[in-house]
Amino acid sequence: MDFTFTEDQIAFRDATRRFLMTEAAPEMLREIWETDAGRSPELRAKFASQGLTALSVPEANGGLGFGDVDWALMAQELGYYGIPDSLADTACVAVGLLAGLADDTPGRDTWLERVVAGSIRIAVGHPINPLVADAHLADLLLLHDKGEVHAVPRSAVDVRASQSIDQSRRLGQVTWQPTSATRVADAAKGQGLWADAFDRGALCTAGQLLGLAQRMLDLSVDYVAQRKQFGRPIGSFQAIKHQLADVATRIEFAGPVLYRAAESLANRRAHASVHVSHAKLACAEAAWLAARKGIQVHGAMGYTWEVDLQMFMKRAWALDAAWGDRGFHKTRINDFVLGDGASLGPGRNFME
Amino acid sequence: MKVFVPVKRVVDYNVKVRVKSDGTGVDLANVKMSMNPFDEIAIEEAVRLKEAGVATEVVAISCGTAASQETLRTALAIGADRAILVETDADVQPLAVAKLLKALVDKEGPQLVILGKQAIDDDSNQTGQMLAALLGWSQATFASKVVIAGGKAAVTREVDGGLETLELTMPAVVTTDLRLNEPRYATLPNIMKAKKKPLDTFKPADLGVDVAPRLTTLKVVEPAKRQAGIKVADVAQLLDKLKNEAKVI
């Protein structure tokens, strides 16, 4: 399988990386964390002007018409820079849901065009997540009710804030009443849309976790190269090198799993859901290990407020259980590998 | 008015470069390359002149290997209208670049060439000045403000004692300093549009220029490691060290 990215994909990633490197420095993230809303409208507007919100919106609606493989790269950048915004929820998961609606669904085209313009924030309430991210600021909420998809304006829902260990996440418990006026897809169509939305949400989370893992590794490498003990940088000691080498290995091995899942989802392969679960597990484990080893090599001060590592570490912990915890994803893989219908035995392989 | 903007592909400014073990140069294997930051400022200025209605066409030019196309695409994504690559695998030194640019200027007749004051890889700070000399044009280096009106360019330069403003007769060569502007980001839609913009390729021989190197690099070494500081017992000892060891007073 060819995991080589196209020149466009690499150019997009590099342009986004450069943009976020300047516009999302840790000092700015800390400032946003401390605001009441926890979000920066200016940053969101810059995302839109950069074209990030338009990435997977169909070209017919003014978007760029890219897809899940591109989001696998973008999500890593969002994770690496710890972006305090549910951009992927609006620009990837919600766009996928809206684009999947029937063409004549009232509001569909307007919402998609507003996503491109950056003038709408859409929160997605999938039943796997007990709380909805950024519901308090959303202009529109896409909510699940008995398999149906409902598009509900913020004014029609009640949001009770719930604090996360990661201050960059703003979660809320949403109470609302489904009506025929808010329904945009019935249960028959909605179930497929919600299944895709789940896989897309899990894929974006996996990408962010991998980006977070790389950031924590980079921060740790920087720290051990300058912190000295016994007259030498502590990074020169094997006990430290090995810890970080373990993290680097885990990251390297998680990358292809993430890209395979993205390719599988984009091309609607038969076992795309299993591939997504595999990616979520591999990336979560890389991020978890990067956080644990990061604290170790920082001599525990990585947990303190003053050191940037804590921002990325808490984000990794919070995302670990978002869009399905490890138990959920392991179960999906278990059903594929060991279930009664699994293709096991002589002459069979996992490609089937 | 047509504006030329030469751009150079260099090691990305975030990369910590390493000298090759044989001391012949900097190791470029698997190193991220980007547009020279001063050239980005030049492109931004040219695009702003176009947006202000002063310039009619912005042409980005690069001299180097085929990989320089990537740098030209970035220039096109920022807002240049078209690009020219003078493709060569040779090590093109400032004089060769200036000669190639002169040949293109003679061919296309721009009224203004804006380029970075220097490239961050060799820090030569020569190409702009050499080009102006070869063309016999006015030149203003280290520009921090450029105003073009009535066939003249008023260029503000940062000098030791403050600011100096020069008035140039067009056509002219201007080299950019860091504070001239803040370059915009290449947006994703513009990266897509850049793919459709024209990019012409020439060989140095097509332009009748010999790019053979005139300079030979003898040796490249890492900067000396900074020594650890020391504590002095009193002011007298400090003065003694400043006078006799550091020889700064």
Side-chain angles (χ1 to χ4, degrees), chain A residues 307-325:
Chain A
V307 177
D308 289 342
L309 182 74
Q310 55 97 6
M311 304 166 72
F312 305 99
M313 188 172 64
K314 288 172 185 165
R315 166 65 69 93
W317 289 343
L319 289 183
D320 190 53
W323 293 97
D325 60 15

Side-chain angles (χ1 to χ4, degrees), chain B residues 220-236:
Chain B
V220 177
V221 293
E222 297 269 2
K225 284 215 166 75
R226 194 175 163 186
Q227 299 296 313
I230 54 162
K231 281 185 182 172
V232 290
D234 50 32
V235 174

Side-chain angles (χ1 to χ4, degrees), chain A residues 8 15 18 21-23 49-50, chain B residues 14 40 185-188 195:
Chain A
D8 287 345
R18 177 137 193 222
M21 189 192 301
T22 315
E23 299 293 338
S49 64
Q50 192 63 17
Chain B
N14 284 305
E40 259 188 270
Y185 303 107
T187 66
L188 307 189
K195 283 173 60 186

Side-chain angles (χ1 to χ4, degrees), chain B residues 10-174:
Chain B
V10 298
V11 174
D12 188 87
Y13 66 92
N14 284 305
V15 172
K16 190 173 184 302
V17 293
R18 287 184 184 163
V19 173
K20 284 184 194 167
S21 54
D22 60 4
T24 55
V26 170
D27 190 359
L28 296 180
N30 298 318
V31 169
K32 181 174 165 48
M33 307 292 279
S34 299
M35 187 191 295
N36 176 37
F38 291 110
D39 298 344
E40 259 188 270
I41 293 170
I43 278 280
E44 174 65 33
E45 193 63 20
V47 172
R48 286 186 189 188
L49 286 173
K50 192 182 170 199
E51 287 168 348
V54 176
T56 52
E57 187 183 28
V58 177
V59 185
I61 300 164
S62 194
C63 308
T65 62
S68 300
Q69 280 194 25
E70 190 190 329
T71 309
L72 288 170
R73 291 284 172 210
T74 306
L76 294 169
I78 292 173
D81 297 294
R82 64 188 175 90
I84 298 171
L85 171 64
V86 182
E87 192 180 333
T88 171
D89 291 330
D91 169 30
V92 275
Q93 294 176 344
L95 181 60
V97 175
K99 286 179 179 173
L100 291 169
L101 292 174
K102 179 186 182 301
L104 288 170
V105 167
D106 291 342
K107 195 170 151 66
E108 297 225 8
Q111 287 294 294
L112 179 65
V113 179
I114 307 183
L115 63 168
K117 68 173 182 180
Q118 65 195 67
I120 61 168
D121 52 359
D122 57 16
D123 278 344
S124 290
N125 178 225
Q126 294 169 358
T127 307
Q129 292 89 326
M130 286 177 168
L131 176 63
L134 290 172
L135 288 167
W137 285 10
S138 328
Q139 64 166 305
T141 52
F142 313 138
S144 62
K145 189 178 175 191
V146 176
V147 179
I148 294 176
K152 290 189 182 295
V155 178
T156 305
R157 311 172 67 237
E158 290 180 10
V159 293
D160 281 350
L163 298 174
E164 175 189 59
T165 303
L166 302 176
E167 187 179 79
L168 312 182
T169 309
M170 305 288 274
V173 175
V174 174

Side-chain angles (χ1 to χ4, degrees), chain A residues 188-247:
Chain A
K189 185 166 179 63
Q191 281 183 343
L193 290 175
W194 283 118
D196 281 351
F198 173 77
D199 284 339
R200 213 158 265 137
L203 182 80
C204 284
T205 309
Q208 289 183 63
L209 283 163
L210 191 58
L212 284 161
Q214 187 63 54
R215 181 62 175 268
M216 289 186 277
L217 177 62
D218 290 351
L219 287 171
S220 300
V221 170
D222 285 350
Y223 180 77
V224 302
Q226 57 172 290
R227 174 86 170 97
K228 287 187 178 168
Q229 278 294 330
F230 311 109
R232 295 166 60 186
I234 61 172
S236 65
F237 299 120
Q238 276 199 339
I240 300 287
K241 281 183 190 174
H242 286 180
Q243 305 232 28
L244 297 182
D246 285 347
V247 178

